[in-house]
């Protein structure tokens, strides 16, 4: 993980500079969507160190837990995959608690009629999603940490799906020591962005997601899977927007204003491979409060801003829709290209609504008393849940200690 250089804003950051007596007006300093820097240089350094210690400790512990369980792969495959799902839950708890403690933010959720009744607020102020156990999830890609908030949605689902998230990543990430190796245990899919190279490995990984398991009494079942895809291929930026505009001009297409044109080849291949084993695509449109029109989230919500300076997004906004897989044109790629592009134009219109009003369209629900939006926060249901991360290693340590004590007594 990389962090931005810690540069606290000057005392008047976010405020216009007054005119001098000579009549020269200094250029106003642009306000940050999350307000002023809340922590000075030394506090930022301390927060950075604390976060680094917590994150790296958890990552090392989780990887060690994975290594301890690796022999299960040759003993019992089903037990192995269940064990790895628990370690994936541990990583989800790591990033959720990291966000809860260092970068707390409000999440505002709405959706159209296709998800009516599937998003509810719980008595403790959290949200519960009732999405299926097997689905493809797609979203526009605003900033690098989009996947953190979407992984949290898996945690908030009933049943919880944070142990069954699968993400497609750049191939280079798997070589990061410990973190990359851990993601390989998770069954994440690494791509070189060359379809000739990627297609065989993608087919291999997707095939693993549709292999039936044998449960009690010999009953066959499919593992829970949430496959997260960002069809734009990268997060929204000035360079990405220029490429999208150039592609639109070259192809004679309308270039959207708030999102980039999606790339259909990868998602088309995934949907074709998974057809018949999943019923729905869930589409999430993501927006961050306060980003000015024509600007990009990556300019404001860096890792440094979010976790060190105390300037996380004031709110992360989700608008959900659902599409049936059997209603999507998957027999012809040109038809699918057009289908996906229309969904992205609709997404662009949703973003325009958000930019103009500060809200997505309200939640369409089948309950008359339901609120227009559900507001909650990224946090765990119980404060002690993060201790799950250390359970296996702690138990292993106790077992080793007991064995060594028994061994020493035997030889005394």
């Amino acid at each position: 993980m990389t962090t931005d250089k810690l540069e606290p804003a000057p005392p008047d950051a976010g405020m216009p500079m007054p005119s001098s007596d000579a009549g020269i007006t200094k250029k106003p300093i642009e306000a940050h969507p999350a307000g002023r820097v809340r922590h000075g240089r030394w506090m930022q350094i301390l927060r950075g160190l604390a976060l680094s210690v917590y994150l790296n400790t958890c990552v090392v512990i989780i990887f060690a837990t994975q290594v301890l369980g690796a022999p299960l792969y040759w003993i019992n495959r089903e037990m192995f995959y269940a064990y790895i799902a628990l370690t994936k839950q541990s990583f989800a708890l790591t990033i959720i608690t990291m966000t809860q403690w260092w970068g707390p933010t409000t999440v505002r959720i709405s959706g159209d009629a296709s998800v009516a009744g599937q998003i509810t607020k719980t008595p403790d102020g959290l949200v519960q999603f009732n999405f299926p156990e097997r689905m493809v999830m797609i979203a526009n890609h605003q900033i690098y940490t989009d996947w953190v908030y979407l992984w949290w949605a898996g945690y908030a689902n009933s049943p919880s799906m944070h142990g069954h998230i699968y993400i497609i990543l750049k191939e280079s990430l798997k070589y990061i020591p410990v973190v990359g190796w851990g993601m390989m245990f998770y069954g994440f899919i690494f791509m070189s962005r060359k379809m000739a190279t990627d297609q065989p490995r993608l087919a291999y990984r997707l095939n693993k997601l549709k292999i039936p398991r044998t449960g009690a009494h010999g009953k066959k079942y499919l593992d829970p899977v949430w496959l997260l895809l960002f069809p734009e291929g990268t997060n929204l930026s000035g360079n990405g927007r220029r490429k999208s505009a150039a592609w639109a001009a070259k192809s004679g297409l309308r270039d959207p204003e708030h999102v980039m044109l999606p790339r259909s080849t990868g998602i088309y291949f995934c949907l074709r491979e998974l057809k018949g084993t999943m019923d729905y695509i869930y589409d999430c449109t993501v927006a961050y409060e306060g980003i000015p029109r024509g600007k990009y989230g990556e300019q404001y919500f860096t890792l440094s801003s979010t976790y060190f300076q105390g300037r996380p997004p004031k709110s992360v906004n989700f608008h959900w829709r659902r599409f049936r897989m059997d209603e999507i044109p998957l027999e012809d790629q040109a038809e699918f290209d057009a289908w996906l592009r229309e969904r992205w134009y609709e997404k662009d219109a949703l973003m325009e609504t958000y930019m103009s009003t500060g809200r997505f369209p309200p939640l369409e629900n089948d309950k008359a008393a339901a609120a227009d939006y559900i507001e909650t926060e990224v946090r765990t249901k119980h404060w002690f849940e993060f201790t799950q991360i250390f359970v296996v290693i702690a138990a292993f340590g106790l077992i080793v200690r007991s064995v060594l004590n028994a061994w020493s007594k035997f030889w005394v």
Side-chain angles (χ1 to χ4, degrees), residues 79-267:
M79 189 179 296
F80 170 78
Y81 289 122
Y83 181 89
I84 291 299
L86 289 176
T87 69
K88 196 180 290 188
Q89 287 181 5
S90 293
F91 186 75
L93 290 172
T94 298
I95 59 176
I96 291 169
T97 52
M98 181 182 77
T99 301
Q100 177 181 346
W101 298 338
W102 280 276
T105 186
T106 295
V107 182
R108 187 178 298 113
I109 305 163
S110 67
D112 70 6
S114 66
V115 294
Q118 298 180 54
I119 308 172
T120 55
K121 193 161 187 176
T122 60
D124 58 359
L126 296 176
V127 67
Q128 178 177 297
F129 298 96
N130 292 290
F131 295 169
E133 292 187 5
R134 289 182 63 86
M135 71 176 193
V136 174
M137 177 166 49
I138 61 175
N140 57 312
H141 204 356
Q142 291 273 296
I143 59 177
Y144 290 114
T145 48
D146 287 337
W147 60 271
V148 172
Y149 303 112
L150 291 169
W151 204 333
W152 162 82
Y155 167 81
N157 197 67
S158 178
S160 292
M161 293 297 297
H162 56 305
H164 303 283
I165 294 278
Y166 292 85
I167 306 174
I168 294 180
L169 303 166
K170 292 190 298 184
E171 186 175 33
S172 58
L173 295 177
K174 73 179 181 182
Y175 300 110
I176 300 174
V178 184
V179 175
W181 306 334
M183 290 190 292
M184 292 175 69
F185 267 113
Y186 291 152
F188 287 174
I189 302 169
F190 296 93
M191 305 281 281
S192 66
R193 296 186 178 178
K194 296 178 181 177
M195 203 56 191
T197 302
D198 292 334
Q199 186 166 315
R201 69 177 67 167
L202 186 56
Y204 174 76
R205 297 306 311 176
L206 294 174
N207 185 61
K208 283 184 169 290
L209 301 182
K210 58 183 183 180
I211 295 175
R213 310 287 180 200
T214 303
H217 309 295
K219 186 177 180 179
K220 297 288 185 179
Y221 68 96
L222 291 169
D223 282 338
V225 171
W226 277 20
L227 177 62
L228 173 58
L229 303 173
F230 293 106
E232 291 165 319
T234 187
N235 63 295
L236 186 65
S237 64
N239 186 50
R241 285 293 306 117
R242 286 189 292 272
K243 289 182 178 179
S244 177
W247 182 22
K250 180 180 178 180
S251 305
L253 302 172
R254 175 168 62 89
D255 185 43
E257 180 180 353
H258 307 293
V259 295
M260 296 180 291
L261 285 172
R263 304 177 182 185
S264 65
T265 304
I267 183 174

Side-chain angles (χ1 to χ4, degrees), residues 285-305:
T285 302
V286 184
Y288 294 87
E289 182 176 341
I291 298 175
R293 187 181 291 272
K295 300 290 185 178
Y296 309 105
E298 68 165 16
Q299 297 172 294
Y300 302 98
F301 300 121
T302 61
L303 295 175
S304 175
S305 167

